[in-house]
């Protein structure tokens, strides 16, 4: 993999350090800065803006050109032609399944959609008004207490069953969070439904009434899952990898990923978009808020705009925008004031000098928030749905890392700027 080397001179009196340069199959070359540590120096890159933390074969992003590939397949093609479980197969095993492999995978996932009955008791320990992400962090971590017999992460079979259990159980747990918050009974999964239909059934069905899937809404849900399935080394995936690098069990690692996803700069942005639209309230106030977003002295940011990697239109946002329009039409909400407000905001921001200059385009969360809201999903559940969809990406990265030869614990260093050494002062003398 090494194609060339670069020389780094830290001290003109000493020999230059030779740093290998690696080329991937796509994307920029990377300089291996490992040899720098031998010279007792560290590199400094807070926010990891110039650091590749690992080698991976799963997902590729070209932020400048708005490209996103899962296992080489463009996201637009997957969203259009594949269903979410096919995408999960590709992420987990490296390729899209053929018809036989697909059926076997669907059967395997369906075999694990129920959760242990004891988990119902766990829910009762939470307040009804708890944020569903708080419940998810807890119950997903707690899954590790149910599978002692298959948590030997050195065994490929154990890694695989943990991955399939997580993918299978996330919709059940996510729907339970919602049902718990509104005091309705939990529904058991129905395995004759598709993955997305099953989630909608467990979320919106009630035991006393027959539930029929709406194909447009189920397709939209499936697309939301596909678009959020993976995104290479973002904050939550890196969290899962770092937690996993210690040898922690996969359920605990995914719980750590859920915690990292929760923040408004990451997965919490779709919830923040809806809150922002509520705050803006009316099309007439859009200009005022765009002006605030431009103001350096005002901490306000337009939620759902900008991305660390995409400095072009987020390719997921393009697909999500289309789905958003389909769903709004299907539920008769195309004329809703909130949607009109969102469209006015999108238009003004896309034409605004500040947003153009800083390459701040609407991201996937801008449209997914509006779409989920039209699907009848409460805002507090948005990030839970993101977590549900991203679980397959997290666990694929965890599997890739744990199964790679010679993987090591992740242990960043720091630039220390605290006090220099000083002597302890007795309490009475301070
Ligand atoms: N509204 C107004 N100004 C913005 C925005 C925004 N949404 N996003 C970035 N900027 C400005 C920022 O003030 C900075 O200006 P300056 O150069 O004058 O200091 C410049 O653009 C670069 O921003 P940054 O914060 O240095 O960029 P970053 O790569 O660290 O942050 C981001 C990326 C996504 C956290 C940020 O754009 C943001 O906070 N967006 C709103 C939250 C959001 O929608 N998050 C969802 C991301 S997509 C889902 C996912 O993949 O997790």
């Amino acid at each position: 993999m090494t194609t060339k080397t670069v020389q780094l001179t830290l001290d003109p009196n000493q020999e230059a350090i030779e740093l290998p340069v690696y080329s991937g199959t796509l994307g920029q070359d990377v300089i291996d800065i490992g040899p720098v540590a031998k010279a007792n120096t560290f590199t400094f890159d807070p926010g990891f803006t110039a650091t590749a933390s690992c080698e991976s074969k799963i997902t590729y992003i070209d932020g400048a050109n708005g490209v996103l590939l899962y296992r080489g397949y463009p996201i637009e093609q997957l969203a259009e032609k594949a269903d979410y479980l096919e995408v999960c197969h590709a992420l987990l095993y490296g390729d899209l399944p053929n018809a036989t492999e697909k059926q076997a995978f669907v059967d395997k996932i369906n075999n694990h959609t129920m959760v242990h009955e004891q988990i119902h008791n766990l829910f009762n320990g939470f307040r009804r008004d708890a944020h569903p992400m708080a419940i998810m962090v807890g119950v997903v971590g707690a899954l590790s207490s149910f599978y002692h017999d298959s948590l030997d992460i050195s065994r490929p079979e154990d890694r695989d069953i943990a991955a399939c259990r997580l993918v299978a159980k996330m919709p059940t747990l996510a729907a339970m969070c919602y049902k718990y918050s509104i005091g309705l009974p939990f529904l058991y999964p129905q395995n004759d439904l598709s993955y997305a239909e099953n989630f909608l059934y467990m979320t919106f069905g009630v035991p006393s009434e027959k539930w029929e899937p709406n194909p447009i809404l189920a397709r939209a849900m499936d697309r939301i899952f596909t678009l959020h399935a993976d995104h290479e080394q973002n904050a939550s995936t890196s969290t899962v990898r770092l937690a996993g690098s210690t040898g922690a069990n996969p359920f605990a690692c995914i719980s750590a990923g859920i915690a990292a996803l929760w923040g408004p700069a990451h997965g919490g942005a779709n919830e923040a978009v809806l809150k922002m639209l509520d705050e803006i309230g009316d099309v007439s106030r859009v200009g005022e808020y765009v002006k605030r977003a431009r103001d350096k002295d005002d901490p306000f940011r337009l939620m759902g705009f900008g991305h660390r990697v995409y400095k072009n239109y987020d390719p997921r946002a393009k697909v999500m925008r289309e789905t958003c329009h389909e769903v709004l039409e299907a539920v008769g909400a195309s004329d809703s004031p909130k949607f009109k407000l969102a469209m006015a905001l999108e238009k003004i921001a896309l034409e605004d000098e500040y947003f153009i200059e800083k390459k701040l385009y609407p991201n996937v969360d801008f449209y997914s928030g509006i779409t989920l809201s039209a699907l009848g999903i409460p805002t507090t559940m948005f990030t839970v749905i993101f977590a549900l969809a991203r679980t397959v990406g997290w666990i694929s990265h965890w599997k890739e890392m744990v199964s790679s030869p010679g993987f090591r614990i992740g242990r960043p260093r720091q630039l220390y700027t605290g006090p220099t050494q000083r002597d302890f002062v007795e309490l009475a003398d301070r």
Side-chain angles (χ1 to χ4, degrees):
M1 199 171 44
T2 312
T3 49
K4 48 191 174 201
T5 56
V6 289
Q7 308 282 325
L8 177 69
T9 308
L10 292 171
D11 180 344
N13 301 320
Q14 280 179 4
E15 225 176 279
I17 306 167
E18 192 156 284
L19 306 176
V21 179
Y22 306 131
S23 298
T25 47
L26 288 170
Q28 300 98 319
D29 288 352
V30 298
I31 302 168
D32 181 349
I33 45 98
V36 168
K38 293 196 189 106
N40 209 16
T41 304
F42 301 122
T43 51
F44 183 61
D45 183 20
F48 302 111
T49 53
T51 298
S53 61
C54 63
E55 182 192 329
S56 180
K57 294 182 169 54
I58 302 175
T59 291
Y60 174 72
I61 302 175
D62 175 349
N65 293 307
V67 173
L68 170 61
L69 313 175
Y70 294 166
R71 299 287 189 185
Y73 301 107
I75 191 67
E76 297 85 347
Q77 292 181 22
L78 291 171
E80 175 73 30
K81 297 181 177 155
D83 65 33
Y84 178 69
L85 283 185
E86 287 174 79
V87 170
C88 289
H89 188 284
L91 289 169
L92 284 168
Y93 305 114
D95 220 335
L96 286 168
N98 63 27
T100 316
E101 287 164 341
K102 180 176 175 183
Q103 195 50 54
F105 183 61
V106 170
D107 291 346
K108 194 169 168 185
I109 295 297
N110 280 345
N111 203 27
H112 293 286
T113 49
M114 285 196 292
V115 293
H116 196 289
E117 283 293 299
Q118 289 295 114
I119 292 200
H120 293 219
N121 299 339
L122 278 181
F123 272 82
N124 287 327
F126 289 98
R127 285 170 54 133
R128 294 269 174 192
D129 62 355
H131 195 289
M133 283 296 275
I135 302 182
M136 287 302 274
V137 170
V139 292
V140 173
L143 285 178
S144 38
S145 63
F146 291 87
Y147 304 109
H148 298 292
D149 58 338
S150 49
L151 278 184
D152 180 352
I153 63 162
S154 66
R155 286 166 42 91
E157 315 84 84
D158 284 17
R159 298 199 290 266
D160 187 58
I161 194 70
C164 291
R165 279 186 171 130
L166 277 156
V167 170
K169 292 181 200 307
M170 284 301 276
T172 313
L173 291 173
M176 286 171 83
C177 282
Y178 176 59
K179 289 295 194 207
Y180 185 73
S181 72
I182 53 172
L184 283 176
F186 300 141
L187 292 187
Y188 290 106
Q190 294 292 320
N191 291 344
D192 56 338
L193 296 174
S194 74
Y195 190 88
E197 287 170 349
N198 215 347
F199 171 66
L200 290 172
Y201 160 72
M202 289 185 283
T203 303
F204 294 119
V206 282
S208 49
E209 280 173 26
K210 200 166 160 39
W211 185 87
E212 288 293 339
N214 174 326
I216 296 179
L217 305 190
R219 180 78 191 116
M221 199 71 247
D222 191 84
R223 271 190 165 186
I224 289 176
F225 293 158
T226 291
L227 295 176
H228 289 85
D230 194 39
H231 215 222
E232 52 115 307
Q233 312 309 323
N234 54 82
S236 56
T237 304
S238 299
T239 301
V240 171
R241 278 188 178 259
L242 198 54
S245 78
T246 69
N249 79 70
F251 301 101
C253 296
I254 299 305
S255 172
I258 296 172
L261 186 75
W262 195 354
H266 192 8
N270 50 16
E271 184 178 341
V273 168
L274 265 284
K275 282 192 188 141
M276 176 189 71
L277 291 177
D278 283 338
E279 190 188 321
I280 298 176
D282 189 74
V283 176
S284 62
R285 298 182 66 202
V286 167
E288 177 195 327
Y289 277 83
V290 171
K291 199 169 156 204
R292 280 189 61 192
R294 274 196 241 122
D295 183 355
K296 272 221 152 295
D297 300 323
D298 189 330
F300 175 77
R301 283 186 171 199
L302 279 192
M303 288 292 128
F305 285 80
H307 199 275
R308 167 61 65 82
V309 182
Y310 295 119
K311 301 301 171 196
N312 197 322
Y313 218 93
D314 177 345
R316 304 168 301 169
K318 270 192 198 149
V319 182
M320 201 62 244
R321 188 180 196 277
E322 203 182 283
T323 302
C324 181
H325 283 274
E326 278 167 24
V327 167
L328 287 158
E329 199 158 305
V331 301
S334 301
D335 284 331
S336 77
K338 196 173 279 179
F339 182 57
K340 283 192 165 159
L341 171 60
M343 292 303 103
L345 186 62
E346 178 204 48
K347 186 169 183 299
I348 293 178
L350 282 174
E351 288 167 358
D352 188 272
E353 217 22 66
Y354 172 91
F355 283 79
I356 295 170
E357 191 217 314
K358 294 200 181 299
K359 299 190 167 59
L360 299 170
Y361 294 89
N363 57 48
V364 67
D365 287 325
F366 183 70
Y367 302 105
S368 68
I370 302 163
T371 312
L372 289 169
S373 166
L375 285 169
I377 299 200
T379 35
T380 52
M381 281 294 292
F382 290 3
T383 319
V384 173
I385 289 169
F386 194 158
L388 181 177
R390 183 56 59 85
T391 292
V392 72
W394 289 330
I395 204 68
S396 301
H397 283 272
W398 174 83
K399 269 179 84 190
E400 180 180 67
M401 180 188 68
V402 175
S403 53
S404 62
F407 92 90
R408 305 169 72 190
I409 186 169
R411 178 41 170 106
R413 300 305 301 263
Q414 62 172 4
L415 168 66
Y416 177 71
T417 52
T420 52
Q421 185 168 332
R422 50 183 168 164
D423 285 328
F424 180 82
V425 180
E426 294 300 336
L427 186 59
D429 300 329
R430 276 176 240 159

